[in-house]
Amino acid sequence: MNAFSRRDKPIRIIKGPSASKPEGEEEHTRAVLEAGVVHSLKPISAGLGVLYAVFTIIDLMTLPAGIAAWVATVAAITAVILLGIYLALSVKILPARYAHPLAFAIAALILANSFTHIYLAKDLQQTFQIALILVGAGSVFTSSNWLVMVYALALSGWAWMIYTLPASNDWTPFGLALLISILLSAALHRARVNTLVQLENLRVQDARRKSELETVLKSTEEAQRSLATSMAVGQRITSILDLDILLAQVAHLIQERFGCYYVGIFLLDESGEWVVSRAGTGEVGKLLSEQGFRLKVGEEGLVGWVAAKRRPARVDDVSQDLRYYQHEQIPRTRSELVLPLEMGATMLGVLDMQSEQRKAFGEDDVPFLQMLADQVAIAIQNASMYQVEKSRRRLAETLYGVGRALSGTLDLEKVLDLILEQMEEIVEFDRAAVMLSTNGKLEIAASRGYPDSAHSTHVVMKENDVFKEIERTQQPLHIHDVLQHSDWQHSPGLPQARAWLGLPLIRADEVTGMLSLTREHPVPYTEDEIALASTFAGQAAIALQNARLYDQITRFNQDLEQMVQERTEALQAAYDQLEHLDNTKSDFIRVASHELRTPLTVLHGYTQMLLDDGLIRNNSLLSQLVLGIQAGASRLGEIVGSLLDTAKIDSRALQLYPAPVSLSSLIDLVTSGLVKSFEERGQSLEIEGLRELPPIQADPEALRKVFYHLIVNAIKYTPDGGKVSISGRYLGNEDSSPDECAVELVVSDTGIGIDPKVFELIFSKFYQTGEVALHSTGKIKFKGGGPGLGLAIARGIVQAHGGRIWVESPGYNEDMCPGSQFHVVLPIRQ
Ligand code: ADP
């Protein structure tokens, strides 16, 4: 049976006998000639039958009464017989072999009519009728033998007539005519036979050509069908780029087109040792592919044989072939055709076609089906390449996505979770864990697919532990099947692992942990999967490192924040304590000052009384002593006053009694009290610009203290012979409102100057640079120390007036004496 004609019935050629048996040509020709007679007998018998019926009547009417009855009777009998023959031929097909005998019988019957006529009428004229019969016979008879027998019958009958008739010389021309008619008849016979033979030859030739044409047509049709099938399969498969769908479609199409019992496609695995079922028809095919059914190359089944030999195997009866591998799920296979799927020199796999019928695959089918298999191989190669390209793109996209996802967070917990989540997108696993190495112990930091109890598992490393290996090589470690791996540590409580992949997490050339991927079924990780997972592990390690660093920084920040808070609290406590102490000190100063004032007043009163006493007044020594006591008491009173002012300023209890103050008069008042001091120190005083100043709203007593302290300081920190200047200027213009107007007074000296570093410090209370030893030497002595309150009181009073006070000096230098300038700005209005 031909594989291609099984479904589509072949065109059957209706062959003539000679077309099938050209060698029996003679016999065939005879049959054809006999058939020619068969066809003419019916009209001849009908025509002659009618003619003789007419003759019967004519005979009765025209012939002499003596013979008319006889001749008409014979004619009538002839007519009846002929019409009878016609009827018989109409209802029944005359076998060809009886055609000539019947024709001979008819001829004999007709001849009998002529003989009867000649005999009874003794009229040789009837010889012409015989001649006509012979001519007619020549054009009817196709067998020479039978025709000769007719001739013989006619001639013998006619001769017998001549013999029975009275002697006459008239027979000669009739005889001659008879002979000529025989010659004519023979010629006609020959011509007819020739025509029939030629016609038959032409018909046979025609039939042969037709047969040849049909053979050609048939093979063209087959080729067309093959081409169409091939094209259909080719077209359908080349547009499919998904390998699984492609293989399933190919199997299905081939089964559909060629009516196979089973079609399977096996592809060579990576090792090249097995051919694995990748697609097949029906449920069996699906099952085999899902189970990963495989056959050993060169050892198992025709499939294995073809994969090894790389040439087709066609088996008409599989029960007779030792190579045949009977799969229990495909029991009805009788014949099989297995074709290699090759792409150039590369063996891709095999195409397996099985049929329930013996000899289902013809020898002729093999080249075509191999052509189809080659097309399938190209499609497989294309799909594989597309798949590779697609998976590369997917890989790049996935890695990009993974990278983005991983770098999107710095939360360590989230990163760990993301690593496992993203890993699921890349490689298939049943359980996975991120294990981090700390102090020689591997700890599961995050996991998927593990029972809850396994989370806190510390995996203690053995000498041959897989992690040791990964740590040493810094490379992924793949175990195809852990059951075959003697060093494998099975963790109790976990399902049995089969395929395992460990990926190092490397940070600064150090393996800090690993990603552990486990499959609980024995499907090893492919090279692609390992490469992909390794790249991913690299990214995961970076993300982990970043998250850890971030974690450390966050913790450090938290510690720092806590420390700052603690310090701030401590500082606040210290500040509060200091403030408390300061308040206590201020309270003490205020109390002490008040307490000191009373005895000082008493002291002052008594010294005044002593000075008023005549006895003392007349005694210069005693007067000097009492004056000394009075000066000391005044100085003490001043200091106590300063202490009281400071205490008031600190406690914001300073009371101002503003009144219009002329700064010029005020400065005159202050300096007039210090004339003696200027003289003692040989210093000059220069005052300028004060008289032009408008009067300001201020507490005159308070302002007096400000300038007193400033001028005393100027005298004190200026060497003998120096100069103290006091200048004033109006701050403001015509557009300024009275509230914005102010005056600025500058107290300058040619003294030792002030280090800019202490510009602010000197305004704090109790700050002073004078030597303690010089303190008691007097308030205007060069660099004579004071209680360090003057400037603090000055700033307090100026600020209480809403003014500003500051110092300017090139610096501190006792040799060069660069001098200092104290600026006081006071608003005109309070
Ligand atoms: P005291 O003069 O009692 O020490 P002050 O508060 O008046 O206290 O002055 C504080 C300090 O400022 C002084 O000890 C001194 O060192 C410095 N100082 C004040 N005025 C001058 C000045 N005109 N030239 C140089 N130093 C000065």
Side-chain angles (χ1 to χ4, degrees), residues 767-800:
Y767 182 85
Q768 46 83 36
T769 56
E771 291 167 42
V772 181
L774 294 170
H775 276 205
S776 55
T777 55
K779 67 180 182 189
I780 54 157
K781 271 266 188 269
F782 180 50
K783 296 197 290 175
L789 295 172
L791 290 179
I793 291 167
R795 173 168 277 187
I797 292 170
V798 170
Q799 284 181 343

Side-chain angles (χ1 to χ4, degrees), residues 60 65 87 167 172 174 214 308 320 410 432 553 636 716 720 769:
L60 284 172
L87 285 176
T172 315
F174 288 109
E214 278 174 0
Q320 303 301 312
L410 284 167
I553 290 171
L636 197 60
K716 205 158 60 171
D720 294 352
T769 56

Side-chain angles (χ1 to χ4, degrees), residues 17 24-41 94-101 103 137-146 188-201 203-204:
E25 211 161 302
E26 258 179 50
E27 212 176 297
H28 170 66
T29 310
R30 207 187 66 227
V32 167
L33 294 176
E34 280 174 353
V37 178
V38 170
H39 291 306
S40 22
L41 275 182
L94 179 70
R97 65 178 185 276
Y98 298 129
H100 275 100
S139 59
V140 173
F141 278 75
T142 54
S143 161
S144 303
N145 294 345
W146 282 102
L188 276 174
H189 165 73
R190 184 79 344 238
R192 172 132 199 260
V193 167
N194 282 347
T195 309
L196 279 175
V197 169
Q198 271 177 9
L199 269 174
E200 179 56 18
N201 282 346
R203 201 190 63 79
V204 168

Side-chain angles (χ1 to χ4, degrees), residues 713-714 716-717 749 754 762 767-769 786-791 820 822:
N713 277 349
K716 205 158 60 171
Y717 297 105
D749 60 49
I754 302 169
I762 56 174
Y767 182 85
Q768 46 83 36
T769 56
L789 295 172
L791 290 179
S820 313
F822 282 86

Side-chain angles (χ1 to χ4, degrees), residues 635 709-718 747-749 751-754 758 761-770 775 779 784-793 807 812 819-822:
R635 176 79 181 127
H709 287 300
L710 292 180
I711 296 166
V712 165
N713 277 349
I715 297 167
K716 205 158 60 171
Y717 297 105
T718 302
V747 180
S748 315
D749 60 49
I752 57 173
I754 302 169
V758 296
L761 272 178
I762 56 174
F763 288 99
S764 46
K765 62 188 178 192
F766 304 118
Y767 182 85
Q768 46 83 36
T769 56
H775 276 205
K779 67 180 182 189
L789 295 172
L791 290 179
I793 291 167
V807 66
Y812 171 76
S820 313
Q821 296 93 42
F822 282 86

Side-chain angles (χ1 to χ4, degrees), residues 289-308:
S289 303
E290 279 169 8
Q291 288 172 346
F293 174 70
R294 58 186 194 167
L295 292 164
K296 185 97 175 153
V297 172
E299 288 177 23
E300 288 175 309
L302 282 159
V303 165
W305 187 87
V306 171

